[in-house]
Amino acid sequence: LYLCVFTNCKTSSSTSAGAITIKADTIVNVYGTSFIGNEGPYEKREDIYNKPNTGGTITIHDTCPSPYSSITPIQGSTLVVSGTVG
Protein backbone atom coordinates (compact mmCIF):
# COMPACT_ATOMS: atom_id res chain seq x y z
CA LEU A 1 0.00 0.00 0.00
CA TYR A 2 1.44 3.35 -1.03
CA LEU A 3 0.23 6.75 0.13
CA CYS A 4 -3.24 5.63 1.28
CA VAL A 5 -5.67 7.06 3.82
CA PHE A 6 -8.05 4.84 5.79
CA THR A 7 -10.60 7.15 7.40
CA ASN A 8 -13.66 6.18 9.43
CA CYS A 9 -13.60 2.56 8.25
CA LYS A 10 -15.85 0.29 10.27
CA THR A 11 -16.53 -3.44 10.33
CA SER A 12 -19.40 -5.38 11.81
CA SER A 13 -17.47 -8.66 11.57
CA SER A 14 -16.10 -10.04 14.84
CA THR A 15 -13.11 -11.49 12.96
CA SER A 16 -11.91 -8.37 11.14
CA ALA A 17 -10.38 -4.95 11.72
CA GLY A 18 -11.74 -1.54 10.84
CA ALA A 19 -9.23 -0.85 8.05
CA ILE A 20 -6.98 -3.83 7.13
CA THR A 21 -7.42 -7.54 7.92
CA ILE A 22 -4.89 -10.21 6.93
CA LYS A 23 -6.21 -13.80 7.10
CA ALA A 24 -3.95 -15.61 4.64
CA ASP A 25 -0.33 -16.34 3.78
CA THR A 26 0.33 -12.97 2.16
CA ILE A 27 2.78 -10.08 2.46
CA VAL A 28 1.59 -6.48 2.86
CA ASN A 29 4.00 -3.52 2.87
CA VAL A 30 2.65 -0.15 3.99
CA TYR A 31 4.31 3.16 3.04
CA GLY A 32 3.12 6.70 3.75
CA THR A 33 -0.33 5.64 4.91
CA SER A 34 -2.67 7.22 7.46
CA PHE A 35 -5.23 5.56 9.71
CA ILE A 36 -7.84 7.93 11.18
CA GLY A 37 -10.99 7.16 13.18
CA ASN A 38 -11.36 3.49 12.24
CA GLU A 39 -13.58 1.15 14.26
CA GLY A 40 -13.22 -2.58 14.77
CA PRO A 41 -15.13 -5.08 16.89
CA TYR A 42 -12.56 -4.91 19.67
CA GLU A 43 -10.42 -2.06 20.95
CA LYS A 44 -7.23 -3.66 19.56
CA ARG A 45 -8.58 -4.14 16.03
CA GLU A 46 -9.44 -0.61 15.01
CA ASP A 47 -6.76 -0.22 12.33
CA ILE A 48 -5.01 -3.52 11.48
CA TYR A 49 -5.62 -7.19 12.32
CA ASN A 50 -3.13 -9.89 11.30
CA LYS A 51 -4.79 -13.19 12.18
CA PRO A 52 -2.33 -15.43 14.05
CA ASN A 53 -1.07 -18.68 12.51
CA THR A 54 -2.06 -17.84 8.93
CA GLY A 55 1.41 -16.90 7.66
CA GLY A 56 0.49 -13.30 6.85
CA THR A 57 3.11 -10.57 7.20
CA ILE A 58 2.44 -6.85 7.41
CA THR A 59 5.25 -4.31 7.62
CA ILE A 60 4.82 -0.60 8.31
CA HIS A 61 7.77 1.18 6.70
CA ASP A 62 9.22 4.41 8.09
CA THR A 63 10.29 5.64 4.66
CA CYS A 64 8.43 7.13 1.73
CA PRO A 65 8.31 5.38 -1.66
CA SER A 66 9.89 6.77 -4.83
CA PRO A 67 9.61 9.52 -6.04
CA TYR A 68 9.01 10.83 -2.49
CA SER A 69 11.95 9.02 -0.85
CA SER A 70 13.73 12.32 -0.07
CA ILE A 71 10.82 13.38 2.17
CA THR A 72 10.99 12.43 5.83
CA PRO A 73 7.66 10.90 6.88
CA ILE A 74 5.82 12.26 9.91
CA GLN A 75 4.82 9.72 12.51
CA GLY A 76 1.27 10.18 13.73
CA SER A 77 -0.61 8.61 16.59
CA THR A 78 -0.10 5.00 17.57
CA LEU A 79 -1.75 2.39 15.38
CA VAL A 80 -4.28 0.12 17.05
CA VAL A 81 -3.39 -3.41 15.92
CA SER A 82 -3.92 -7.05 16.80
CA GLY A 83 -1.54 -9.82 15.76
CA THR A 84 2.04 -9.34 14.60
CA VAL A 85 2.68 -6.10 12.73
CA GLY A 86 6.25 -5.03 12.08
Side-chain angles (χ1 to χ4, degrees):
L1 299 172
Y2 293 94
L3 308 173
C4 297
V5 178
F6 292 89
T7 303
N8 298 324
C9 299
K10 184 175 182 176
T11 183
S12 58
S13 170
S14 64
T15 61
S16 296
I20 298 174
T21 299
I22 306 296
K23 293 184 179 180
D25 184 10
T26 189
I27 296 171
V28 177
N29 289 290
V30 180
Y31 294 87
T33 298
S34 297
F35 296 84
I36 305 163
N38 300 306
E39 294 181 38
Y42 306 105
E43 208 171 274
K44 293 184 178 180
R45 291 191 192 166
E46 293 177 1
D47 295 319
I48 300 171
Y49 174 51
N50 187 7
K51 186 176 181 180
N53 304 315
T54 58
T57 302
I58 185 161
T59 304
I60 310 297
H61 296 271
D62 62 357
T63 58
C64 290
S66 179
Y68 308 102
S69 56
S70 64
I71 299 171
T72 302
I74 298 168
Q75 183 174 342
S77 60
T78 303
L79 288 174
V80 181
V81 302
S82 181
T84 302
V85 177

